[in-house]
Amino acid sequence: MGEFVKSTDTAGQGKNLPRHIAIIMDGNGRWATRQGLPRTAGHKAGAETFRRIATYCKNLGVQYLTVYAFSTENWKRSETEVSAIMTLLKKYLLEAVDTMEQDHIRLRFLGDMTPIKPELRALARQTDEISDHLAPGDFQANICLNYGGRDEILRAVRRFAADCAAGEKRPEDLDDALFSGYLDSAGIPDPELIIRPSGELRLSNFLLWQCAYSEFYFTDVLWPDFDEAELDRAIAAYRARDRRFGGVKK
Ligand code: FPP
């Protein structure tokens, strides 16, 4: 599986670089099990891969990177695993608070933060505030936490219905642009490219509204082994696609 496009170290050069790449960081558990390590070691390695790929995206000139860190369904996992993921997030956020301003990295969370522990929510608020001081054109990493595409759409619908009930909006006003503004991703362009490593060929409730015209790239590589060369391959595959958005080729 995967697309056999020659790796290139020039992914950032030339035209047609995706402005927004979204990644389902899958395969951490299998990576750890194959090495005889606990699943949590896979998430630790996966978090380092996130750091590396985010840096690479920023250097290439990709403006937005969205990653699926924890889904609305991931609470079904053991308490040990859930708390290990939350602890990792905390560690990276603490680090981000100290470095994002000098590195010009904006951070935003997508998902329902209500069940997230107060300490982590406070850190997310802090990174939000720092992001507000950075330039809108600076690189932005979006972390999907307690995120589900259906949940995001339902919460948006509830907010829109409440605005209608309050007389602030009318049902007939609703169109694509207005609805997008009610989503967690308001103001962020839709991803041109969605990547899923680890050989799974499904979307798993990720960016259901935003993926309408995204290109997909699947690879068997497990997320902790995903590297710059693999991202180059995904971008090269994207560039070779014929995007027609429902129209015909000119
Ligand atoms: C999917 O692999 C991965 C997750 C559910 C967690 C991802 C979280 C991190 C990488 C850590 C924190 C993130 C950041 C941004 C610092 P899986 O466990 O489902 O793998 P498997 O399918 O092989 O079991």
Side-chain angles (χ1 to χ4, degrees):
M1 221 196 44
E3 280 164 76
F4 296 98
V5 179
K6 199 165 159 268
S7 175
T8 164
D9 58 1
T10 56
Q13 293 169 16
K15 285 185 295 191
N16 202 16
L17 181 73
R19 184 174 172 202
H20 181 178
I21 296 179
I23 306 183
I24 301 175
M25 305 188 287
D26 197 13
N28 296 345
R30 276 164 285 169
W31 181 90
T33 307
R34 279 179 202 175
Q35 312 204 32
L37 297 168
R39 293 178 55 82
T40 49
H43 297 314
K44 190 165 173 239
E48 269 310 299
T49 302
F50 161 73
R51 186 212 296 276
R52 187 170 160 177
I53 293 300
T55 306
Y56 190 53
C57 282
K58 179 178 184 281
N59 293 341
L60 286 178
V62 172
Q63 204 194 333
Y64 300 92
L65 172 69
T66 301
V67 291
Y68 210 176
F70 194 86
S71 77
T72 44
E73 288 74 35
N74 285 153
W75 298 105
K76 293 176 196 156
R77 297 184 179 211
S78 74
E79 212 188 308
T80 312
E81 188 168 342
V82 171
S83 106
I85 293 172
M86 298 299 167
T87 304
L88 274 169
L89 280 162
K90 198 176 122 190
K91 172 178 177 270
Y92 280 80
L93 284 192
L94 278 168
E95 207 183 284
V97 165
D98 287 339
T99 57
M100 54 196 282
E101 202 139 21
Q102 77 195 38
D103 292 344
H104 290 269
I105 295 179
R106 292 153 55 96
L107 269 185
R108 181 156 153 192
F109 284 84
L110 312 187
D112 178 6
M113 299 294 277
T114 28
I116 302 298
K117 285 204 172 136
E119 206 185 350
L120 193 51
R121 283 170 64 178
L123 270 173
R125 267 196 303 276
Q126 223 181 322
T127 56
D128 269 351
E129 278 162 24
I130 300 170
S131 301
D132 287 344
H133 299 138
L134 288 164
D138 282 337
F139 172 76
Q140 181 170 319
N142 303 309
I143 298 177
C144 295
L145 179 57
N146 190 34
Y147 176 88
R150 287 185 173 184
D151 181 65
E152 180 191 31
I153 291 168
L154 287 174
R155 285 184 288 106
V157 170
R158 277 187 215 121
R159 282 197 292 266
F160 177 71
D163 282 353
C164 289
E168 285 163 19
K169 288 281 181 305
R170 294 173 310 163
E172 55 273 30
D173 294 337
L174 195 62
D175 60 12
D176 272 25
L178 182 60
F179 189 65
S180 294
Y182 280 87
L183 293 167
D184 298 340
S185 60
I188 302 170
D190 291 343
E192 289 90 355
L193 174 62
I194 297 183
I195 299 173
R196 182 164 195 161
S198 94
E200 308 293 352
L201 305 178
R202 56 178 175 269
L203 206 46
S204 301
N205 207 6
F206 189 46
L207 304 179
L208 295 184
W209 171 270
Q210 299 85 345
C211 76
Y213 281 101
S214 303
E215 297 293 331
F216 291 86
Y217 179 83
F218 297 103
T219 169
D220 287 339
V221 170
L222 302 175
W223 176 246
D225 291 329
F226 194 98
D227 60 7
E228 291 84 351
E230 196 56 43
L231 192 76
D232 285 350
R233 280 191 278 278
I235 292 173
Y238 165 79
R239 284 180 160 147
R241 304 274 171 89
D242 177 21
R243 305 188 78 207
R244 295 189 299 278
F245 302 96
V248 289
K249 199 172 180 177
K250 287 195 190 108

